[in-house]
Amino acid sequence: MSTPTSVQTRPSVHRPRDERRLPWYHLVFTGLAGLLVAIAVLAIFDTLSIASAILLGFVFHLLFGWGYSLLREGPRWATDRLMTLLVIGAFAISMFPLLSLLWSVIARGMTRVLAAKPTTLSFWTEDMSGIIGGADAGGVFHAIVGTLLITLWASIISIPVGLFTAIFLVEYANQGWKRTLGRGVTFLVDVMTGIPSIVAGLFGLALFIAFMPDQSVRMGIMGAVALSLLMIPTVVRNSEEMLRLVPMDLREAAYALGVPKWLTIVKVVLRTAIAGLTTGITLAIARVIGETAPLLLTVGMVTAVNWNMFDGRMATLPTFINQQYRNGNANCMSDTVTNPVNQEVYACSISTNIDRAWAAAFTLIVIVMILNIVARMISHYFSPKLSR
Amino acid sequence: MAAPQPINVEDLDIYYGDFLAVEGVDVQIRPRSVTALIGPSGCGKSTFLRTLNRMHEVIPGAYAKGKVEINGEDIYDSRIDPVNVRRRVGMVFQKANPFPTMSIRDNVLAGVKLNNRRISKSSADELVERALKGANLWNEVKDRLDKPGMGLSGGQQQRLCIARTIAVKPEVVLMDEPCSALDPISTLAIEDLIHELKEDYTIVIVTHNMQQASRVSDRTGFFNIAGTGKPGHLIEIDDTDTIFTNPSNKQTEDYISGRFG
């Protein structure tokens, strides 16, 4: 650490830059000083709390750090310090809600999942048949099955439609009437991106009950259609970007070899873009897997597993969370609750519904994470390798 | 299908939408020879080259009027499928474009594999070896045929593209400034390659480099353009020696001696 510079009036340009640059840990002291001052100020105004202390401490840290740097390092480095602190601060602030959310879900959800009876994973293997009142039992097996099935069917509808639309827009919509059609399609896709999810649900509902004699029928496939309305624009937009990234060179190389256009698209363009396409499709799936409103309308809620997409209501994770939360705290008249179906006896817990909601949220996040990991693996496996 | 063919071009006009890019080209290209096309930038040489295998139609709105006969068949006849034309007339581009998702072996076999044609493994191996030997690349890559095609140097990638083109046994090979992105050593390697290839194929090469044209070609054609926005024309085509020492047209002479370019 250099000795403090003597008080001189020489302009800073005469001093070599490196000599003035202080090690970063100097700023730790200004940070601490800022925090202490903030605590003092807040205590005086009687508004002291952890959040306010950190925020005000950060503001003072900016001020002190900048001032200290200005005195010791010069104006240019002072601005550099200030911007560095601001950028890091912005990053920390933006990370905070994400980390806090993850922390809440994991802490509350995982304890309920791990504490399930009779076996550790029975939260994921049991459904809610016969669970009434405040029984501290039950699981989300039916909801997991419902979510996976409905999302699968939504993907089966959306991925071909979205992908082929993107191929049309990139490869064929170049001139004449096809180009006009392409512009129309692009406009409609952009509009679809903004459809509120409940409107998509209403559309799915209306579409099916227009053909049904019984207006109160609900089926899994209705939810899948509503979700595909939300998925298709994401798939189209993302696939279009990825296909446009394939350089024209490669298509020309294939044409010059006498490969017809459709084979070029299948074997050259799609094969080259597949890493990006899979990532985009996974993102679209991850987006719709948590949609609640359309599924509330079209698929309803049940307590037992329903494997049939075309007959009857199904449970899904988002609607399960919604329902459990709205059940709120349970009334526990006695210490135990008996299952009317199989006469099992469970402990009664007031917070059982809320606990289950958190655990279901945790389950949903785990599913989305697994999807992301699978997508990354596919993307890595298929991406063009550059190694010798 | 392997016998090289003469190309006979009669009164060819090439359009990009409404814009006439090249006008009134008449030329006979002899088989088993190298014909070079030279001229300043933007005069239509590459456009003309791309009409010889109907590649310019890939650009939306582009079309050509006139006759291009390869071995007596007009490739612009309405009954002819452009895809079939491109199987007989191969092309090597300015920027080497091996397929990034494929190994070297698959790149050479791309003409076969992408067309869903089946060949046995032994004929595939033999084809790969023959094509790579023909492109002077065999010794350098014979023990890493399964490595990705993008891992080669620029000159090697360009030779890989040439191997890929000759693996489908075309009659004509078109080369659009194949050496402009390469260093002198690689350029020399490719020019030697062109000398060998002309025994078996008709070669048409577009080049910006006049010295290259004089080294490599038997006949040379000079394209010029009257001004921006005007169509390009084939001013003169003759034996290379004649063009470079005693051209008949004044514009050719001005270009050769560097008065414009």
Side-chain angles (χ1 to χ4, degrees), chain B residues 4-261:
Chain B
Q5 308 298 330
I7 304 175
N8 188 23
V9 179
E10 272 176 45
D11 198 24
L12 187 67
D13 291 337
I14 310 173
Y15 290 86
Y16 283 113
D18 292 328
F19 174 66
L20 178 62
V22 177
E23 193 178 18
V25 180
D26 281 294
V27 68
Q28 281 81 45
I29 296 176
R30 297 178 191 160
R32 287 208 174 86
S33 74
V34 180
T35 307
L37 303 174
I38 59 173
S41 286
C43 61
K45 332 185 274 293
S46 292
T47 308
F48 171 69
L49 192 76
R50 287 164 72 103
T51 50
L52 295 181
N53 69 348
R54 296 190 69 165
M55 275 295 285
H56 77 294
E57 290 169 5
V58 166
I59 296 169
Y63 66 97
K65 283 203 306 216
K67 208 165 20 165
V68 176
E69 285 183 348
I70 299 187
N71 195 26
E73 280 176 358
D74 180 10
I75 62 175
Y76 280 95
D77 194 79
S78 49
R79 289 164 299 176
I80 302 272
D81 182 7
V83 172
N84 280 327
V85 172
R86 294 179 200 140
R87 287 185 188 148
R88 296 166 56 198
V89 181
M91 191 160 191
V92 176
F93 297 89
Q94 182 171 352
K95 185 170 166 296
N97 47 17
F99 296 117
T101 53
M102 300 187 194
S103 64
I104 294 176
R105 189 171 180 280
D106 287 339
N107 259 294
V108 177
L109 291 174
V112 169
K113 291 251 169 101
L114 291 181
N115 272 316
N116 279 338
R117 286 206 297 262
R118 299 202 177 286
I119 51 172
S120 64
K121 186 165 190 311
S122 55
S123 4
D125 289 338
E126 194 221 310
L127 180 61
V128 167
E129 186 173 338
R130 187 158 37 82
L132 286 173
K133 280 190 175 152
N136 271 345
L137 194 57
W138 175 249
N139 287 328
E140 291 167 52
V141 301
K142 62 177 184 246
D143 25 354
R144 45 181 173 130
L145 289 176
D146 288 322
K147 291 280 185 337
M150 296 296 282
L152 302 172
S153 76
Q156 288 173 326
Q157 282 184 16
Q158 189 65 299
R159 278 180 280 153
L160 177 61
C161 293
I162 294 177
R164 181 176 69 188
T165 308
I166 62 179
V168 294
K169 304 196 209 50
E171 299 157 13
V172 180
V173 175
L174 307 174
M175 297 194 178
D176 190 356
E177 303 193 36
C179 302
S180 60
L182 302 178
D183 59 276
I185 308 279
S186 311
T187 304
L188 186 61
I190 292 191
E191 287 179 8
D192 289 339
L193 180 56
I194 293 177
H195 272 298
E196 291 172 21
L197 289 177
K198 79 171 182 198
E199 315 276 321
D200 300 312
Y201 306 94
T202 307
I203 299 184
V204 184
I205 173 170
V206 165
T207 176
H208 257 129
N209 185 342
M210 280 192 285
Q211 290 79 21
Q212 181 175 72
S214 61
R215 285 192 296 264
V216 142
S217 63
D218 302 315
R219 280 169 64 84
T220 303
F222 171 63
F223 273 83
N224 199 4
I225 190 169
T228 43
K230 304 233 178 74
H233 295 91
L234 176 64
I235 305 291
E236 188 178 348
I237 180 161
D238 210 331
D239 289 339
T240 303
D241 290 333
T242 317
I243 288 269
F244 280 98
T245 54
N246 191 19
S248 351
N249 192 305
K250 178 146 195 324
Q251 291 180 51
T252 319
E253 195 185 326
D254 286 345
Y255 184 71
I256 305 286
S257 47
R259 289 200 199 105
F260 71 97

Side-chain angles (χ1 to χ4, degrees), chain A residues 76-234:
Chain A
R76 261 190 66 237
W77 284 120
T79 320
D80 180 64
R81 294 283 188 206
L82 181 65
M83 295 313 289
T84 310
L85 289 173
L86 269 175
V87 165
I88 294 179
F91 174 71
I93 290 175
S94 65
M95 277 290 109
F96 185 68
L98 172 68
L99 293 173
S100 148
L101 176 84
L102 277 179
W103 173 252
S104 306
V105 172
I106 291 176
R108 292 184 226 208
M110 204 155 78
T111 44
R112 174 69 178 83
V113 170
L114 292 177
K117 298 171 256 299
T119 62
T120 316
L121 290 180
S122 61
F123 187 73
W124 288 337
T125 52
E126 307 249 316
D127 60 29
M128 293 288 283
S129 332
I131 312 290
I132 55 169
D136 186 14
V140 284
F141 180 63
H142 58 320
I144 294 178
V145 165
T147 294
L148 290 178
L149 273 178
I150 290 182
T151 313
L152 178 69
W153 278 86
S155 307
I156 290 176
I157 300 173
S158 318
I159 293 174
V161 171
L163 196 55
F164 282 123
T165 308
I167 291 176
F168 170 76
L169 288 175
V170 173
E171 305 283 338
Y172 290 96
N174 292 320
Q175 48 170 337
W177 65 271
K178 288 187 202 157
R179 188 152 153 229
T180 325
L181 178 63
R183 288 222 201 102
V185 168
T186 307
F187 173 71
L188 288 173
V189 165
D190 287 342
V191 168
M192 268 174 88
T193 327
I195 292 183
S197 51
I198 194 156
V199 172
L202 278 174
F203 173 79
L205 186 64
L207 181 68
F208 276 85
I209 64 179
F211 299 107
M212 306 270 181
D214 177 7
Q215 303 274 298
S216 67
V217 150
R218 299 285 180 268
M219 296 189 293
I221 192 72
M222 294 161 74
V225 167
L227 286 187
S228 70
L229 220 63
L230 297 169
M231 238 179 114
I232 285 176
T234 315

Side-chain angles (χ1 to χ4, degrees), chain A residues 11-29:
Chain A
S12 58
V13 68
H14 285 277
R15 204 164 290 280
R17 209 172 66 180
D18 290 324
E19 203 184 285
R20 297 201 69 168
R21 187 97 169 112
L22 294 169
W24 63 270
Y25 46 78
H26 280 241
L27 289 183
V28 173
F29 300 130

